[in-house]
Amino acid sequence: MVRYQKEVLLASLMMLFTARSAYAQNKSAGDTLRSIKLPMAVTTGHVAGQWGKTKLDRNQLDRIQAQTIGEKLRHISGVQNASFGPNSGMPMIRSLSGSRVSLLSNGVSVNDLSGISPNLNPNVDMENLREIELFKGAASVLFGGKAIGGAVNLKDNTIPVARLQKKMTGQAVAEVGTNMGNNQSLSVNTNIGKYWVGHIGGMRLMHGDLKIPGNAKAPIAYDPKIDHLTAAMAQVNVDRETVRNLTLYPYLSQFVLDNMGNPKWDLSEADLYTFENYSFINGVKVLNPRNDKYIAGQDPNIPLYTEVVHGITDYVPVRRGIMPNSHAERRSVHAGASYIRDNFQIGLGLYALEGYYGIPGYAQRNKPVHSHTGVWTPVYEAINTRSYAHAWQLESTLKPKTGLISEIKFNYRGELSDDRETLGRYRVNKFDSHRHAIRSEIVQEFSSFWSGTSGFDFSFLRLNGEGDRRYIPNNLSREGGLFTLHSIDLNPIAVHLGYRHDWVARRTLSDPTYQRSRGMAGGHLTARDFSLQHFSGDIRYSIFDIAYLQAIFSHAERAPGVNELYAGNDHFAMLVEENGDDRLNKERSDSYELCVGIKHDGLKLSATRYRSFFKNYLYLAHTGISRSGGFLVKEWRASDTEIQGWELEGGYRYDWAVNCYVTLNAFADLVKNINTSDESMRKWAEGDYMPNLPTSRYGIAVALQFKKFFGSADFDRYLRQRYLGKNINMEPAMPAYSLLAGQIGYKMSIKRYELVYFISGNNLLNVEARPQNSILKYLAPLAGRNISLGLKLLI
């Protein structure tokens, strides 16, 4: 083998740099749904201690392949992927996502517009991450009201945090798949002089429309019993005819008979049949003639009308086996440098991101085409998202030589973003966002058993829009908070206590070009200010260092977002007319958790029961109205809600030699988002449960490492939803499905380089999978089977 090392290295490098040409030969392939692999759905490094934090380090991330953050984390119990098509997915934690799950970069909030529109997916170079921190449950004491449902902190390598043991480290990755296109990434860190460390890197991803098993649309889309709201969500035209049962009417109206042709009355045959035996003509009571079609003695429960469906057609024809408009292309570059001393460091990172990807749906813009028959016909075009972003981040840490303060941190992040929604190439919405965020923390050591963290953060966001169909006026938000958290560890009992106060301001700006819808449309666009209180506490009892019992309470509050207050036009990406309400009040929740766990040798078991009670829970509600172009009219409302569920996790690891081990992991979870209000409108429109709830599921995974060989397989079972909400009509339950994924690989060393070869497979059973929590479940399933070949070169 040694004699061929140079040839193997050269061949591997050629593979890294020729992945792009391989894509050109397989352009139709693509898959954003490269589900999590290897050790699978295990929450590695779970709960104990630091504020309910779950960590995924670089080794664990290497075994998890995904192109969206939601897909990256979906194997953790209680966390599912809130996918909006294959190219956009954010974590849904215990049924909460969007503006209730805060996204951070190295501890500082980022310009995440997914809470405003789920198609605006943050671009992230997954290979550049060194760690992900996940906070399940309310993390608002640490990060403010937008973390009322949890938080995800992405820690990357752009700003180096330590000197390297050797002069240079880095990696280059290339991957090509049968149904995921190709992606490449590069990341290099190097020591510069005695105290400086530099970084440079980038990534590129590209795929065409994805392959799927079967039809793009769910079977209900072509069911003659489909209701008109579900038909709008499935984007089908239903040719219905209402047939009147004329045998049930005993009389014909004499007045209608006399005036049928009179344009003054505009009468039709539908007005002719009646149950009344008299008509009034010029004030005179006139006997109505009998209906010769009448049949006496029929069942009184026979309906007066029946509907006959003559045909169902798609807004835009779809092809079997292809997910429509599921293409994607993403690029990013990042560079940074840090000055590092023993008790002080400061670093700067620069980011440039670009994305262009499709949503598997179509919409009608107001530009109809006049046909030769003189009839105006609708034009439906593909919905796409294009985004550009530039960000810069400063991080600094000072470690004073004092016993009371162990660390002082100050971080700043600035961003300029351009996010666009297009129909074909026609821009209908554009947001230019300017965001600045700062955060400072002081880590305190009061004694050997008492420590704490106190600090403040502040963010400013201005959104300026363009496009004649914008759904939000120009606006700005200011958010600031002070917080303190304390930990008292008196083994075997540990207590955590935290408090935070926030100030939030929402404003609309002068915007003469903004055109509002016919609906509520944000009311009077009134300026709003909110004062928010957050506090949390937990107590943990350890039993002989092998088991624990933990009880947690948190109170959190969230201010309505700018879309919840001020939206008021067609939101093309979501296929709705979205209407905000500037009278909405803050959202409040009280949450309780009880956790038990065991950790002994290689065995880990844990169970969590949680309940959260929301006051003024904000949700986008159905009105029952749909407009031309397939837009459902929805408006933001507030109501009381209870969220409750279970999370179960287990794992076992057995090591029998160096670099030889096997792990077995399993998980299960269940969540309910329950309507606890007495409001008749919500009962009528959404029912007893919120629609689009994540379904219950369980999973099992096995991973094997045998010296330089590694492999894994994971199996997830998503059950049929039992807790169904309504979209005016009862929402249909999507069929249960199972996902199987696997990977095998080999590591080899050539001189000072390490090469990792791997073959991965996703959705190996090639099943039609439609997540219940996906808004687009009627339009597209998850991607079909993908087999990919990858290579990683480590320096």
Side-chain angles (χ1 to χ4, degrees), residues 581-597:
D581 185 347
D582 62 355
R583 301 167 298 176
L584 292 172
N585 293 318
K586 63 185 178 182
E587 185 178 83
R588 293 174 293 156
S589 76
D590 292 314
S591 301
Y592 306 84
E593 289 185 47
L594 183 63
C595 312
V596 294

Side-chain angles (χ1 to χ4, degrees), residues 62 154 164 183 207 215 395 462 528 604 655 794:
D62 281 341
L154 306 175
L164 307 178
N183 64 85
H207 64 70
N215 292 319
E395 297 180 14
R462 175 166 179 158
R528 297 296 305 277
K604 292 181 181 180
D655 293 76
L794 302 174

Side-chain angles (χ1 to χ4, degrees), residues 5 20 47 67 100 161 178 200 207 228 239 275 294 306 336 361 375 418 469 505 514 552 562 598 656 761 766:
Q5 283 184 351
R20 181 166 185 170
V47 294
Q67 294 181 6
R100 296 187 180 97
V161 296
T178 60
I200 190 169
H207 64 70
H228 76 283
D239 182 9
F275 290 98
Y294 174 69
T306 58
V375 178
D418 176 346
R469 301 303 298 276
Y514 178 63
I552 304 170
V562 292
I598 297 173
W656 69 88
N766 204 35

Side-chain angles (χ1 to χ4, degrees), residues 750-782:
I750 301 178
K751 296 184 178 180
R752 61 188 183 91
Y753 303 102
E754 183 176 64
L755 294 172
V756 181
Y757 301 89
F758 59 90
I759 299 176
S760 304
N762 299 304
N763 195 3
L764 293 173
L765 302 178
N766 204 35
V767 300
E768 183 176 314
R770 298 181 186 272
Q772 189 75 33
N773 64 325
S774 173
I775 300 174
L776 303 180
K777 55 181 172 283
Y778 306 115
L779 296 177
L782 301 185

Side-chain angles (χ1 to χ4, degrees), residues 15-23 125 127 172-176 181-186 202-206 330 332:
M15 177 182 172
L16 283 168
F17 294 109
T18 58
R20 181 166 185 170
S21 63
Y23 172 75
D125 184 349
E127 296 295 336
V173 182
E175 189 172 358
V176 180
N182 75 89
N183 64 85
Q184 307 91 38
S185 68
L186 175 68
M203 59 83 68
R204 176 186 173 277
L205 176 151
M206 181 179 290
R330 289 190 174 96
S332 74

